[in-house]
């Protein structure tokens, strides 16, 4: 039997982690922004 | 029987000729409606952009009613029917179960679509009811007949797909489990059947209401309408993901790293994604708080999990395929050496980014009950749908078209240089458009409004923060770029299909 080829997908894993971090940040900022606690913009 | 097939010299697939004809006619029709919808999109964005403010209010709402009909319904559903025939008959080396039924389905869809175009764009007046057509806004009976005919036609197309799969198994066209892409097509078709039944439940009683024979409850209408209208987008989600798997295979020879993993993710869509449509009703007093709580906090989360699973599996399939080809140094050697000049590949990647980063994240945010109350009926909601369907589904279908033209129409791609650039222009334009919509919506800029600066002289005018107008302008610029990208796609597709170099 031929030796099983091992292919890593760790690049995708890193991209997935970056996406999850972005999502958590975006979700948190949206909560703060849309709840009216804090806004960007002119006073 | 063998006379009804040809063998594709590139893929070795047996192509059932009556299926091929139906794929061609549905695909060509979808691109025609994309062209109409694109022209309407340009008119909408050039009116919403205060610096230009192109149309008067009546023309604007007329165009705004027709734009989503062409884009969300006609372009997408005609293409999806072509896709179902492709993954059902061609990928399985099988015959389409009943081609005549396919033609009946096509004619019903076409007549329905033309009736809707006629009532909205030519008759106008009472038919300017927006995409939602919320009761008690009453359009003419022909408007609802158009919807019903289109709906029944699409449902027949879906039934034909199921019959084709059944026949293929019975006649031994394939062995073992369905290929993953066809499996995704089955999930999309089950969701489609359910959606189209909702469509019938929505528009048949509304038709009788429009001729004075039935009393339509607005609350019931809203509920069943979103069972139809948002579910059409859930068919898109499953069809888009299936298209990504197909594009991964076609562009780099990618194969999912785990069949079970991908199939379970599709199953999650089937079981849990249908509740997503209720995010339109989170502000609605007709549903109980407990219902909304379960919907947004639990069931919807499992559909999101399915998207995350696919979002890992598909790029991983690309990475594994490219590493096998020798691009194996470090973390991102495979990404640097990916075929970025292949429009099928770039369309797939940009579609995943728009779908996940713009459409997915905003969908989760707007599907949260408390945030939905604030964001609803602002331009933020439109940012979500444009990220998902315009950047995600449409771009994925555009990418697949670059393969459908040589494989099914047997023509070479015209203007290959333009075709290489097209996914970037279109994808980046849509992402700028959606970002502008999201930003301005977060400042309270309403969706669908003709004049967010002067409010048409209304005594209830409102002065938005100047930053909101910055985001509105960003949306205007992004929209124009996206329309240019869409126009290039239509040009390349039409010239390729009718004048492209003959293959074989």
């Amino acid at each position: 039997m031929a030796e099983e080829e091992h292919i890593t997908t760790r690049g995708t894993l890193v991209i997935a982690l970056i996406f999850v971090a972005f999502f958590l940040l975006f979700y948190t900022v949206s909560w703060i922004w849309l709840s009216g606690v804090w806004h960007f913009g002119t006073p | 029987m063998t006379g009804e097939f040809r063998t594709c010299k590139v893929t070795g697939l047996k192509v059932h000729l009556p299926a091929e004809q139906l794929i061609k006619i549905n695909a060509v029709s979808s691109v025609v409606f994309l062209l109409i919808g694109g022209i309407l999109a340009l008119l909408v964005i050039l009116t919403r952009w205060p610096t230009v403010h192109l149309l008067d209010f009546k023309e604007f709402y007329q165009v705004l009613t027709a734009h989503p009909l062409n884009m969300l319904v006609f372009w997408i559903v005609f293409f999806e029917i072509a896709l179902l025939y492709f993954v059902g008959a061609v990928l399985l080396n099988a015959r389409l179960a009943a081609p005549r039924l396919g033609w009946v389905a096509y004619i019903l869809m076409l007549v329905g679509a033309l009736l809707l175009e006629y009532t909205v764009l030519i008759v106008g007046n009472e038919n300017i009811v927006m995409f939602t057509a919320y009761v008690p806004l009453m359009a003419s009976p022909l408007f609802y007949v158009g919807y019903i005919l289109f709906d029944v036609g699409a449902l027949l197309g879906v039934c034909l797909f199921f019959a084709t799969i059944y026949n293929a198994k019975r006649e031994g066209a394939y062995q073992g489990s369905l290929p993953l892409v066809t499996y995704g097509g089955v999930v999309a078709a089950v969701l489609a059947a359910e959606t189209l039944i909702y469509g019938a439940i929505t528009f048949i009683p509304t038709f009788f209401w429009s001729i004075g024979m039935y009393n339509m409850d607005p609350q019931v209408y809203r509920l069943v309408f979103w069972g139809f209208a948002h579910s059409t987008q859930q068919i898109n989600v499953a069809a888009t993901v299936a298209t990504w798997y197909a594009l991964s295979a076609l562009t780099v020879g990618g194969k999912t790293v785990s069949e079970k993993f991908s199939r379970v993710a599709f199953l999650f869509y089937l079981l849990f994604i249908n509740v997503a449509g209720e995010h339109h009703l989170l502000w609605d007093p007709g549903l109980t708080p407990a219902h909304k709580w379960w919907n947004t906090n639990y069931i919807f989360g499992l559909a999101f999990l399915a998207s995350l699973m696919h979002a890992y599996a598909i790029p991983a399939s690309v990475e594994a395929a490219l590493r096998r080809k020798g691009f194996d140094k470090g973390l991102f050697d495979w990404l640097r050496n990916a075929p970025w000049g292949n429009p099928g590949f770039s369309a797939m990647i940009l579609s995943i980014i728009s779908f996940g980063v713009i459409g997915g994240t905003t969908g989760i945010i707007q599907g949260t009950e408390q945030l939905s109350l604030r964001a609803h009926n602002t331009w933020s909601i439109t940012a979500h749908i444009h990220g998902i369907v315009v950047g995600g589904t449409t771009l994925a279908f555009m990418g697949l078209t670059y393969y459908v033209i040589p494989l099914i129409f047997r023509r070479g791609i015209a203007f290959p240089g333009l075709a290489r650039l097209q996914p970037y222009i279109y994808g980046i334009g849509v992402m700028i458009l959606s970002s502008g919509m999201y930003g301005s919506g977060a400042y309270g800029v309403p969706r669908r409004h003709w004049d967010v600066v002067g409010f048409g002289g209304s005594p209830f005018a409102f002065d938005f923060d100047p930053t909101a107008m910055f985001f509105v302008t960003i949306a205007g610029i992004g929209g124009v770029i996206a329309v240019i990208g869409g126009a290039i796609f239509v040009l390349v597709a039409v010239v390729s299909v009718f004048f492209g170099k003959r293959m074989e």
Side-chain angles (χ1 to χ4, degrees):
Chain A
M1 187 188 286
E3 193 182 330
E4 197 174 314
E5 188 184 21
H6 178 72
I7 296 288
T8 175
T9 54
R10 60 182 188 275
T12 303
L13 190 61
V14 170
I15 294 169
L17 290 174
I18 293 169
F19 170 75
V20 170
F22 164 80
F23 170 67
L24 291 175
L25 182 70
F26 189 32
Y27 195 63
T28 309
V29 169
S30 291
W31 259 106
I32 296 168
W33 190 345
L34 291 174
S35 61
V37 173
W38 165 70
H39 262 238
F40 288 115
T42 51
Chain B
M1 182 70 74
T2 46
E4 286 194 311
F5 285 89
R6 71 172 174 88
T7 303
C8 175
K9 286 180 179 167
V10 180
T11 59
L13 289 167
K14 267 170 61 188
V15 180
H16 186 223
L17 296 175
E20 185 179 69
Q21 290 301 320
L22 278 162
I23 293 167
K24 282 181 179 176
I25 192 73
N26 279 284
V28 167
S29 304
S30 72
V31 173
V32 170
F33 287 112
L34 177 70
L35 174 65
I36 299 169
I39 293 167
L40 298 171
L42 186 65
L43 296 173
V44 169
I45 199 67
L46 289 181
T47 305
R48 291 228 52 174
W49 190 353
T51 314
V52 185
H53 205 49
L54 184 68
L55 301 178
D56 74 23
F57 74 94
K58 190 178 172 192
E59 289 167 342
F60 172 73
Y61 288 113
Q62 188 169 17
V63 165
L64 194 61
T65 302
H67 165 63
L69 281 173
N70 279 279
M71 293 306 219
L72 285 178
V73 183
F74 308 152
W75 141 247
I76 295 279
V77 178
F78 272 113
F79 196 95
E80 279 170 350
I81 293 293
L83 187 68
L84 287 181
Y85 296 160
F86 181 76
V87 302
V90 179
L91 283 191
L92 296 182
N93 289 308
R95 66 181 176 87
L96 198 66
R100 279 187 191 165
L101 185 66
W103 283 102
V104 172
Y106 171 76
I107 290 165
L108 283 173
M109 286 169 67
L110 185 66
V111 172
L114 293 177
L115 265 182
L116 283 163
E117 300 279 28
Y118 169 75
T119 51
V120 175
L121 285 175
I122 295 174
V123 178
N125 298 322
E126 76 272 26
N127 297 304
I128 305 173
V129 287
M130 303 289 96
F131 177 61
T132 41
Y134 274 159
V135 171
L137 280 177
M138 188 191 284
S140 66
L142 265 188
F143 176 90
Y144 302 110
V145 170
Y147 251 126
I148 293 165
L149 291 179
F150 188 88
D151 193 270
V152 171
L155 194 56
L156 286 179
V158 171
C159 292
L160 178 55
F161 167 73
F162 286 127
T164 300
I165 299 275
Y166 174 75
N167 267 359
K169 184 73 179 172
R170 209 184 51 174
E171 293 170 4
Y174 70 96
Q175 304 295 323
S177 306
L178 284 170
L180 184 62
V181 175
T182 309
Y183 182 86
V186 170
V187 170
V190 173
L191 292 170
E194 181 205 337
T195 301
L196 295 165
I197 289 167
Y198 263 117
I201 296 171
T202 306
F203 292 110
I204 292 173
T206 316
F207 165 73
F208 285 109
W209 170 70
S210 74
I211 57 172
M213 291 178 65
Y214 184 73
N215 187 22
M216 193 75 200
D217 181 335
Q219 168 72 61
V220 171
Y221 177 89
R222 284 199 299 275
L223 185 66
V224 292
F225 174 80
W226 285 114
F228 162 73
H230 201 279
S231 301
T232 56
Q233 310 322 312
Q234 285 137 211
I235 309 165
N236 298 343
V237 170
T240 303
V241 171
T243 303
W244 290 338
Y245 280 111
L247 282 172
S248 169
L250 289 166
T251 56
V252 295
K255 195 174 164 225
T256 181
V257 287
S258 166
E259 282 273 335
K260 271 187 193 163
F261 184 81
S262 298
R263 283 170 196 260
V264 166
F266 270 122
L267 200 60
F268 276 12
Y269 276 154
L270 194 60
L271 296 175
F272 304 117
I273 204 168
N274 284 312
V275 300
E278 287 190 8
H279 83 77
H280 290 278
L281 301 173
L282 291 175
W283 52 270
D284 200 306
L287 299 176
T288 65
H291 180 105
K292 293 174 187 173
W293 180 255
W294 270 100
N295 179 323
T296 58
N297 289 286
Y298 294 100
I299 307 174
F300 186 30
L302 290 168
F304 180 45
L305 177 65
S307 289
L308 288 177
M309 290 167 75
H310 289 302
Y312 181 78
I314 295 163
S317 74
V318 172
E319 179 178 359
L322 290 169
R323 283 185 187 277
R324 271 193 205 99
K325 288 180 181 173
F327 305 117
D328 200 24
K329 289 181 200 147
L331 273 180
F332 297 120
D333 187 41
W334 61 278
L335 206 53
R336 274 191 297 274
N337 289 288
W340 295 105
N342 176 341
F345 183 83
S346 56
M348 171 182 68
I349 297 295
L350 288 164
S351 163
I352 291 172
I353 293 172
S354 179
F355 187 98
V357 176
I358 306 246
T361 54
T362 54
I364 295 300
I365 289 164
Q366 290 158 4
T368 305
E369 186 178 356
Q370 298 88 334
L371 298 183
S372 175
L373 294 170
R374 176 68 194 258
H376 207 83
N377 279 337
T378 71
W379 224 9
S380 287
I381 298 291
T382 325
H384 161 65
I385 190 75
H386 281 74
I388 289 277
V389 182
V390 185
T393 303
T394 296
L395 196 46
F397 287 178
M398 285 173 171
L400 189 63
T401 303
Y402 290 118
Y403 283 90
V404 168
I405 290 171
L407 294 177
I408 297 295
F409 289 87
R410 286 177 274 170
R411 298 276 190 169
I413 298 293
F415 312 123
L418 267 182
R420 271 195 290 277
L421 281 177
Q422 185 273 325
Y424 294 100
I425 299 171
Y426 180 80
I428 291 168
V430 172
M431 285 187 241
I432 295 172
L433 168 73
S434 294
S435 304
M437 286 173 166
Y438 190 81
S440 56
Y443 281 95
V445 171
R447 68 188 297 191
R448 294 176 167 173
H449 207 289
W450 169 64
D451 177 16
V452 293
V453 175
F455 283 83
S458 160
F460 302 106
F462 179 78
D463 281 329
F464 287 105
D465 189 295
T467 320
M469 289 305 134
F470 164 77
F471 280 116
V472 170
T473 305
I474 292 286
I477 294 167
V480 172
I481 297 171
V483 168
I484 293 169
I488 295 172
F489 169 77
V490 173
L491 175 74
V492 171
V494 170
V495 174
S496 302
V497 164
F498 292 103
F499 308 106
K501 190 178 166 193
R502 282 187 189 280
M503 302 178 77
E504 287 188 316

